mmCIF file with all atom_site columns, all heavy atoms in Angstrom:
data_model
loop_
_atom_site.group_PDB
_atom_site.id
_atom_site.type_symbol
_atom_site.label_atom_id
_atom_site.label_alt_id
_atom_site.label_comp_id
_atom_site.label_asym_id
_atom_site.label_entity_id
_atom_site.label_seq_id
_atom_site.pdbx_PDB_ins_code
_atom_site.Cartn_x
_atom_site.Cartn_y
_atom_site.Cartn_z
_atom_site.occupancy
_atom_site.B_iso_or_equiv
_atom_site.pdbx_formal_charge
_atom_site.auth_seq_id
_atom_site.auth_comp_id
_atom_site.auth_asym_id
_atom_site.auth_atom_id
_atom_site.pdbx_PDB_model_num
ATOM 1   N N   . LEU A 1 99  ? 7.348   6.043  27.901 1.00 92.00 ? 99  LEU A N   1
ATOM 2   C CA  . LEU A 1 99  ? 5.970   6.462  27.621 1.00 92.00 ? 99  LEU A CA  1
ATOM 3   C C   . LEU A 1 99  ? 5.287   5.469  26.690 1.00 92.00 ? 99  LEU A C   1
ATOM 4   O O   . LEU A 1 99  ? 4.127   5.083  26.898 1.00 92.00 ? 99  LEU A O   1
ATOM 5   C CB  . LEU A 1 99  ? 5.958   7.852  26.978 1.00 92.00 ? 99  LEU A CB  1
ATOM 6   C CG  . LEU A 1 99  ? 6.200   9.063  27.870 1.00 92.00 ? 99  LEU A CG  1
ATOM 7   C CD1 . LEU A 1 99  ? 6.393   10.304 27.000 1.00 92.00 ? 99  LEU A CD1 1
ATOM 8   C CD2 . LEU A 1 99  ? 5.041   9.266  28.829 1.00 92.00 ? 99  LEU A CD2 1
ATOM 9   N N   . LEU A 1 102 ? 4.418   2.146  28.416 1.00 95.00 ? 102 LEU A N   1
ATOM 10  C CA  . LEU A 1 102 ? 3.249   2.251  29.286 1.00 95.00 ? 102 LEU A CA  1
ATOM 11  C C   . LEU A 1 102 ? 1.964   2.383  28.475 1.00 95.00 ? 102 LEU A C   1
ATOM 12  O O   . LEU A 1 102 ? 0.937   1.786  28.814 1.00 95.00 ? 102 LEU A O   1
ATOM 13  C CB  . LEU A 1 102 ? 3.414   3.453  30.219 1.00 95.00 ? 102 LEU A CB  1
ATOM 14  C CG  . LEU A 1 102 ? 4.459   3.301  31.319 1.00 95.00 ? 102 LEU A CG  1
ATOM 15  C CD1 . LEU A 1 102 ? 4.654   4.617  32.055 1.00 95.00 ? 102 LEU A CD1 1
ATOM 16  C CD2 . LEU A 1 102 ? 4.049   2.202  32.294 1.00 95.00 ? 102 LEU A CD2 1
ATOM 17  N N   . ARG A 1 103 ? 2.009   3.187  27.408 1.00 94.00 ? 103 ARG A N   1
ATOM 18  C CA  . ARG A 1 103 ? 0.819   3.346  26.566 1.00 94.00 ? 103 ARG A CA  1
ATOM 19  C C   . ARG A 1 103 ? 0.396   2.011  25.958 1.00 94.00 ? 103 ARG A C   1
ATOM 20  O O   . ARG A 1 103 ? -0.786  1.670  25.947 1.00 94.00 ? 103 ARG A O   1
ATOM 21  C CB  . ARG A 1 103 ? 1.075   4.359  25.459 1.00 94.00 ? 103 ARG A CB  1
ATOM 22  C CG  . ARG A 1 103 ? 1.041   5.808  25.900 1.00 94.00 ? 103 ARG A CG  1
ATOM 23  C CD  . ARG A 1 103 ? 1.040   6.727  24.696 1.00 94.00 ? 103 ARG A CD  1
ATOM 24  N NE  . ARG A 1 103 ? -0.146  6.532  23.873 1.00 94.00 ? 103 ARG A NE  1
ATOM 25  C CZ  . ARG A 1 103 ? -0.279  6.947  22.622 1.00 94.00 ? 103 ARG A CZ  1
ATOM 26  N NH1 . ARG A 1 103 ? 0.736   7.572  22.024 1.00 94.00 ? 103 ARG A NH1 1
ATOM 27  N NH2 . ARG A 1 103 ? -1.390  6.735  21.953 1.00 94.00 ? 103 ARG A NH2 1
ATOM 28  N N   . ILE A 1 106 ? -1.159  -0.275 28.714 1.00 95.00 ? 106 ILE A N   1
ATOM 29  C CA  . ILE A 1 106 ? -2.469  0.128  29.237 1.00 95.00 ? 106 ILE A CA  1
ATOM 30  C C   . ILE A 1 106 ? -3.515  0.201  28.133 1.00 95.00 ? 106 ILE A C   1
ATOM 31  O O   . ILE A 1 106 ? -4.641  -0.285 28.293 1.00 95.00 ? 106 ILE A O   1
ATOM 32  C CB  . ILE A 1 106 ? -2.353  1.477  29.964 1.00 95.00 ? 106 ILE A CB  1
ATOM 33  C CG1 . ILE A 1 106 ? -1.390  1.371  31.147 1.00 95.00 ? 106 ILE A CG1 1
ATOM 34  C CG2 . ILE A 1 106 ? -3.727  1.940  30.453 1.00 95.00 ? 106 ILE A CG2 1
ATOM 35  C CD1 . ILE A 1 106 ? -1.068  2.693  31.796 1.00 95.00 ? 106 ILE A CD1 1
ATOM 36  N N   . GLU A 1 107 ? -3.172  0.799  26.990 1.00 95.00 ? 107 GLU A N   1
ATOM 37  C CA  . GLU A 1 107 ? -4.170  1.012  25.948 1.00 95.00 ? 107 GLU A CA  1
ATOM 38  C C   . GLU A 1 107 ? -4.616  -0.285 25.284 1.00 95.00 ? 107 GLU A C   1
ATOM 39  O O   . GLU A 1 107 ? -5.802  -0.452 24.961 1.00 95.00 ? 107 GLU A O   1
ATOM 40  C CB  . GLU A 1 107 ? -3.647  1.984  24.894 1.00 95.00 ? 107 GLU A CB  1
ATOM 41  C CG  . GLU A 1 107 ? -3.560  3.416  25.391 1.00 95.00 ? 107 GLU A CG  1
ATOM 42  C CD  . GLU A 1 107 ? -3.274  4.406  24.278 1.00 95.00 ? 107 GLU A CD  1
ATOM 43  O OE1 . GLU A 1 107 ? -3.821  4.218  23.162 1.00 95.00 ? 107 GLU A OE1 1
ATOM 44  O OE2 . GLU A 1 107 ? -2.497  5.343  24.513 1.00 95.00 ? 107 GLU A OE2 1
ATOM 45  N N   . SER A 1 165 ? -12.638 3.040  32.809 1.00 87.00 ? 165 SER A N   1
ATOM 46  C CA  . SER A 1 165 ? -12.044 3.085  34.145 1.00 87.00 ? 165 SER A CA  1
ATOM 47  C C   . SER A 1 165 ? -11.535 4.495  34.366 1.00 87.00 ? 165 SER A C   1
ATOM 48  O O   . SER A 1 165 ? -10.731 4.993  33.570 1.00 87.00 ? 165 SER A O   1
ATOM 49  C CB  . SER A 1 165 ? -10.895 2.079  34.254 1.00 87.00 ? 165 SER A CB  1
ATOM 50  O OG  . SER A 1 165 ? -10.044 2.399  35.338 1.00 87.00 ? 165 SER A OG  1
ATOM 51  N N   . ALA A 1 166 ? -11.994 5.143  35.414 1.00 88.00 ? 166 ALA A N   1
ATOM 52  C CA  . ALA A 1 166 ? -11.603 6.526  35.673 1.00 88.00 ? 166 ALA A CA  1
ATOM 53  C C   . ALA A 1 166 ? -10.095 6.653  35.831 1.00 88.00 ? 166 ALA A C   1
ATOM 54  O O   . ALA A 1 166 ? -9.479  7.588  35.310 1.00 88.00 ? 166 ALA A O   1
ATOM 55  C CB  . ALA A 1 166 ? -12.314 7.047  36.920 1.00 88.00 ? 166 ALA A CB  1
ATOM 56  N N   . TRP A 1 167 ? -9.455  5.712  36.530 1.00 90.00 ? 167 TRP A N   1
ATOM 57  C CA  . TRP A 1 167 ? -8.016  5.783  36.739 1.00 90.00 ? 167 TRP A CA  1
ATOM 58  C C   . TRP A 1 167 ? -7.259  5.552  35.437 1.00 90.00 ? 167 TRP A C   1
ATOM 59  O O   . TRP A 1 167 ? -6.259  6.231  35.162 1.00 90.00 ? 167 TRP A O   1
ATOM 60  C CB  . TRP A 1 167 ? -7.573  4.776  37.800 1.00 90.00 ? 167 TRP A CB  1
ATOM 61  C CG  . TRP A 1 167 ? -7.724  5.295  39.186 1.00 90.00 ? 167 TRP A CG  1
ATOM 62  C CD1 . TRP A 1 167 ? -8.632  4.921  40.119 1.00 90.00 ? 167 TRP A CD1 1
ATOM 63  C CD2 . TRP A 1 167 ? -6.937  6.332  39.787 1.00 90.00 ? 167 TRP A CD2 1
ATOM 64  N NE1 . TRP A 1 167 ? -8.474  5.646  41.266 1.00 90.00 ? 167 TRP A NE1 1
ATOM 65  C CE2 . TRP A 1 167 ? -7.437  6.518  41.106 1.00 90.00 ? 167 TRP A CE2 1
ATOM 66  C CE3 . TRP A 1 167 ? -5.875  7.121  39.359 1.00 90.00 ? 167 TRP A CE3 1
ATOM 67  C CZ2 . TRP A 1 167 ? -6.901  7.462  41.978 1.00 90.00 ? 167 TRP A CZ2 1
ATOM 68  C CZ3 . TRP A 1 167 ? -5.336  8.057  40.231 1.00 90.00 ? 167 TRP A CZ3 1
ATOM 69  C CH2 . TRP A 1 167 ? -5.851  8.218  41.528 1.00 90.00 ? 167 TRP A CH2 1
ATOM 70  N N   . THR A 1 168 ? -7.735  4.599  34.642 1.00 89.00 ? 168 THR A N   1
ATOM 71  C CA  . THR A 1 168 ? -7.095  4.357  33.347 1.00 89.00 ? 168 THR A CA  1
ATOM 72  C C   . THR A 1 168 ? -7.151  5.592  32.475 1.00 89.00 ? 168 THR A C   1
ATOM 73  O O   . THR A 1 168 ? -6.172  5.979  31.836 1.00 89.00 ? 168 THR A O   1
ATOM 74  C CB  . THR A 1 168 ? -7.767  3.172  32.630 1.00 89.00 ? 168 THR A CB  1
ATOM 75  O OG1 . THR A 1 168 ? -7.581  1.989  33.403 1.00 89.00 ? 168 THR A OG1 1
ATOM 76  C CG2 . THR A 1 168 ? -7.161  2.953  31.243 1.00 89.00 ? 168 THR A CG2 1
ATOM 77  N N   . GLN A 1 169 ? -8.305  6.241  32.452 1.00 86.00 ? 169 GLN A N   1
ATOM 78  C CA  . GLN A 1 169 ? -8.471  7.441  31.628 1.00 86.00 ? 169 GLN A CA  1
ATOM 79  C C   . GLN A 1 169 ? -7.548  8.570  32.090 1.00 86.00 ? 169 GLN A C   1
ATOM 80  O O   . GLN A 1 169 ? -6.955  9.280  31.266 1.00 86.00 ? 169 GLN A O   1
ATOM 81  C CB  . GLN A 1 169 ? -9.933  7.885  31.653 1.00 86.00 ? 169 GLN A CB  1
ATOM 82  C CG  . GLN A 1 169 ? -10.863 6.926  30.914 1.00 86.00 ? 169 GLN A CG  1
ATOM 83  C CD  . GLN A 1 169 ? -12.323 7.239  31.139 1.00 86.00 ? 169 GLN A CD  1
ATOM 84  O OE1 . GLN A 1 169 ? -12.669 8.065  31.980 1.00 86.00 ? 169 GLN A OE1 1
ATOM 85  N NE2 . GLN A 1 169 ? -13.191 6.582  30.399 1.00 86.00 ? 169 GLN A NE2 1
ATOM 86  N N   . LYS A 1 170 ? -7.401  8.744  33.404 1.00 86.00 ? 170 LYS A N   1
ATOM 87  C CA  . LYS A 1 170 ? -6.523  9.788  33.922 1.00 86.00 ? 170 LYS A CA  1
ATOM 88  C C   . LYS A 1 170 ? -5.066  9.528  33.535 1.00 86.00 ? 170 LYS A C   1
ATOM 89  O O   . LYS A 1 170 ? -4.342  10.438 33.117 1.00 86.00 ? 170 LYS A O   1
ATOM 90  C CB  . LYS A 1 170 ? -6.643  9.864  35.453 1.00 86.00 ? 170 LYS A CB  1
ATOM 91  C CG  . LYS A 1 170 ? -7.957  10.442 35.948 1.00 86.00 ? 170 LYS A CG  1
ATOM 92  C CD  . LYS A 1 170 ? -8.007  10.430 37.470 1.00 86.00 ? 170 LYS A CD  1
ATOM 93  C CE  . LYS A 1 170 ? -9.337  10.976 37.980 1.00 86.00 ? 170 LYS A CE  1
ATOM 94  N NZ  . LYS A 1 170 ? -9.428  10.938 39.456 1.00 86.00 ? 170 LYS A NZ  1
ATOM 95  N N   . ILE A 1 171 ? -4.640  8.292  33.674 1.00 90.00 ? 171 ILE A N   1
ATOM 96  C CA  . ILE A 1 171 ? -3.258  7.951  33.355 1.00 90.00 ? 171 ILE A CA  1
ATOM 97  C C   . ILE A 1 171 ? -2.997  8.109  31.862 1.00 90.00 ? 171 ILE A C   1
ATOM 98  O O   . ILE A 1 171 ? -1.979  8.682  31.449 1.00 90.00 ? 171 ILE A O   1
ATOM 99  C CB  . ILE A 1 171 ? -2.954  6.509  33.807 1.00 90.00 ? 171 ILE A CB  1
ATOM 100 C CG1 . ILE A 1 171 ? -2.986  6.427  35.345 1.00 90.00 ? 171 ILE A CG1 1
ATOM 101 C CG2 . ILE A 1 171 ? -1.583  6.053  33.287 1.00 90.00 ? 171 ILE A CG2 1
ATOM 102 C CD1 . ILE A 1 171 ? -2.932  5.022  35.883 1.00 90.00 ? 171 ILE A CD1 1
ATOM 103 N N   . LEU A 1 172 ? -3.924  7.647  31.042 1.00 88.00 ? 172 LEU A N   1
ATOM 104 C CA  . LEU A 1 172 ? -3.735  7.743  29.596 1.00 88.00 ? 172 LEU A CA  1
ATOM 105 C C   . LEU A 1 172 ? -3.752  9.185  29.125 1.00 88.00 ? 172 LEU A C   1
ATOM 106 O O   . LEU A 1 172 ? -3.046  9.546  28.175 1.00 88.00 ? 172 LEU A O   1
ATOM 107 C CB  . LEU A 1 172 ? -4.819  6.938  28.874 1.00 88.00 ? 172 LEU A CB  1
ATOM 108 C CG  . LEU A 1 172 ? -4.649  5.425  28.940 1.00 88.00 ? 172 LEU A CG  1
ATOM 109 C CD1 . LEU A 1 172 ? -5.807  4.724  28.231 1.00 88.00 ? 172 LEU A CD1 1
ATOM 110 C CD2 . LEU A 1 172 ? -3.324  4.997  28.318 1.00 88.00 ? 172 LEU A CD2 1
ATOM 111 N N   . ARG A 1 173 ? -4.555  10.025 29.763 1.00 84.00 ? 173 ARG A N   1
ATOM 112 C CA  . ARG A 1 173 ? -4.585  11.440 29.382 1.00 84.00 ? 173 ARG A CA  1
ATOM 113 C C   . ARG A 1 173 ? -3.218  12.083 29.646 1.00 84.00 ? 173 ARG A C   1
ATOM 114 O O   . ARG A 1 173 ? -2.722  12.871 28.837 1.00 84.00 ? 173 ARG A O   1
ATOM 115 C CB  . ARG A 1 173 ? -5.690  12.157 30.149 1.00 84.00 ? 173 ARG A CB  1
ATOM 116 C CG  . ARG A 1 173 ? -5.987  13.572 29.641 1.00 84.00 ? 173 ARG A CG  1
ATOM 117 C CD  . ARG A 1 173 ? -7.227  14.146 30.297 1.00 84.00 ? 173 ARG A CD  1
ATOM 118 N NE  . ARG A 1 173 ? -8.410  13.386 29.937 1.00 84.00 ? 173 ARG A NE  1
ATOM 119 C CZ  . ARG A 1 173 ? -9.164  12.723 30.815 1.00 84.00 ? 173 ARG A CZ  1
ATOM 120 N NH1 . ARG A 1 173 ? -8.849  12.723 32.098 1.00 84.00 ? 173 ARG A NH1 1
ATOM 121 N NH2 . ARG A 1 173 ? -10.225 12.052 30.416 1.00 84.00 ? 173 ARG A NH2 1
ATOM 122 N N   . LEU A 1 174 ? -2.611  11.734 30.769 1.00 85.00 ? 174 LEU A N   1
ATOM 123 C CA  . LEU A 1 174 ? -1.289  12.270 31.092 1.00 85.00 ? 174 LEU A CA  1
ATOM 124 C C   . LEU A 1 174 ? -0.235  11.758 30.106 1.00 85.00 ? 174 LEU A C   1
ATOM 125 O O   . LEU A 1 174 ? 0.577   12.532 29.589 1.00 85.00 ? 174 LEU A O   1
ATOM 126 C CB  . LEU A 1 174 ? -0.903  11.873 32.522 1.00 85.00 ? 174 LEU A CB  1
ATOM 127 C CG  . LEU A 1 174 ? 0.480   12.313 33.001 1.00 85.00 ? 174 LEU A CG  1
ATOM 128 C CD1 . LEU A 1 174 ? 0.595   13.832 32.993 1.00 85.00 ? 174 LEU A CD1 1
ATOM 129 C CD2 . LEU A 1 174 ? 0.758   11.766 34.394 1.00 85.00 ? 174 LEU A CD2 1
ATOM 130 N N   . LEU A 1 175 ? -0.262  10.470 29.815 1.00 88.00 ? 175 LEU A N   1
ATOM 131 C CA  . LEU A 1 175 ? 0.695   9.905  28.868 1.00 88.00 ? 175 LEU A CA  1
ATOM 132 C C   . LEU A 1 175 ? 0.515   10.498 27.480 1.00 88.00 ? 175 LEU A C   1
ATOM 133 O O   . LEU A 1 175 ? 1.497   10.764 26.772 1.00 88.00 ? 175 LEU A O   1
ATOM 134 C CB  . LEU A 1 175 ? 0.531   8.383  28.811 1.00 88.00 ? 175 LEU A CB  1
ATOM 135 C CG  . LEU A 1 175 ? 0.876   7.600  30.082 1.00 88.00 ? 175 LEU A CG  1
ATOM 136 C CD1 . LEU A 1 175 ? 0.564   6.119  29.897 1.00 88.00 ? 175 LEU A CD1 1
ATOM 137 C CD2 . LEU A 1 175 ? 2.338   7.793  30.460 1.00 88.00 ? 175 LEU A CD2 1
ATOM 138 N N   . SER A 1 176 ? -0.731  10.728 27.096 1.00 83.00 ? 176 SER A N   1
ATOM 139 C CA  . SER A 1 176 ? -1.005  11.299 25.779 1.00 83.00 ? 176 SER A CA  1
ATOM 140 C C   . SER A 1 176 ? -0.437  12.697 25.659 1.00 83.00 ? 176 SER A C   1
ATOM 141 O O   . SER A 1 176 ? 0.128   13.070 24.621 1.00 83.00 ? 176 SER A O   1
ATOM 142 C CB  . SER A 1 176 ? -2.515  11.310 25.513 1.00 83.00 ? 176 SER A CB  1
ATOM 143 O OG  . SER A 1 176 ? -2.805  11.921 24.279 1.00 83.00 ? 176 SER A OG  1
ATOM 144 N N   . ARG A 1 177 ? -0.562  13.495 26.701 1.00 80.00 ? 177 ARG A N   1
ATOM 145 C CA  . ARG A 1 177 ? -0.048  14.866 26.664 1.00 80.00 ? 177 ARG A CA  1
ATOM 146 C C   . ARG A 1 177 ? 1.463   14.878 26.478 1.00 80.00 ? 177 ARG A C   1
ATOM 147 O O   . ARG A 1 177 ? 2.007   15.729 25.759 1.00 80.00 ? 177 ARG A O   1
ATOM 148 C CB  . ARG A 1 177 ? -0.445  15.595 27.942 1.00 80.00 ? 177 ARG A CB  1
ATOM 149 C CG  . ARG A 1 177 ? -1.926  15.951 27.988 1.00 80.00 ? 177 ARG A CG  1
ATOM 150 C CD  . ARG A 1 177 ? -2.331  16.504 29.325 1.00 80.00 ? 177 ARG A CD  1
ATOM 151 N NE  . ARG A 1 177 ? -3.729  16.949 29.288 1.00 80.00 ? 177 ARG A NE  1
ATOM 152 C CZ  . ARG A 1 177 ? -4.409  17.340 30.350 1.00 80.00 ? 177 ARG A CZ  1
ATOM 153 N NH1 . ARG A 1 177 ? -3.834  17.361 31.525 1.00 80.00 ? 177 ARG A NH1 1
ATOM 154 N NH2 . ARG A 1 177 ? -5.664  17.726 30.233 1.00 80.00 ? 177 ARG A NH2 1
ATOM 155 N N   . HIS A 1 178 ? 2.150   13.946 27.111 1.00 84.00 ? 178 HIS A N   1
ATOM 156 C CA  . HIS A 1 178 ? 3.594   13.902 26.950 1.00 84.00 ? 178 HIS A CA  1
ATOM 157 C C   . HIS A 1 178 ? 3.986   13.347 25.585 1.00 84.00 ? 178 HIS A C   1
ATOM 158 O O   . HIS A 1 178 ? 4.964   13.805 24.989 1.00 84.00 ? 178 HIS A O   1
ATOM 159 C CB  . HIS A 1 178 ? 4.221   13.063 28.065 1.00 84.00 ? 178 HIS A CB  1
ATOM 160 C CG  . HIS A 1 178 ? 4.320   13.810 29.356 1.00 84.00 ? 178 HIS A CG  1
ATOM 161 N ND1 . HIS A 1 178 ? 5.439   14.516 29.721 1.00 84.00 ? 178 HIS A ND1 1
ATOM 162 C CD2 . HIS A 1 178 ? 3.422   14.000 30.350 1.00 84.00 ? 178 HIS A CD2 1
ATOM 163 C CE1 . HIS A 1 178 ? 5.232   15.099 30.898 1.00 84.00 ? 178 HIS A CE1 1
ATOM 164 N NE2 . HIS A 1 178 ? 4.015   14.795 31.292 1.00 84.00 ? 178 HIS A NE2 1
#
Side-chain angles (χ1 to χ4, degrees):
L99 284 170
L102 289 173
R103 283 191 62 197
I106 299 172
E107 289 190 38
S165 161
W167 276 108
T168 297
Q169 291 170 351
K170 289 178 181 178
I171 293 170
L172 286 178
R173 191 171 296 117
L174 178 61
L175 294 176
S176 177
R177 287 172 175 172
H178 282 267

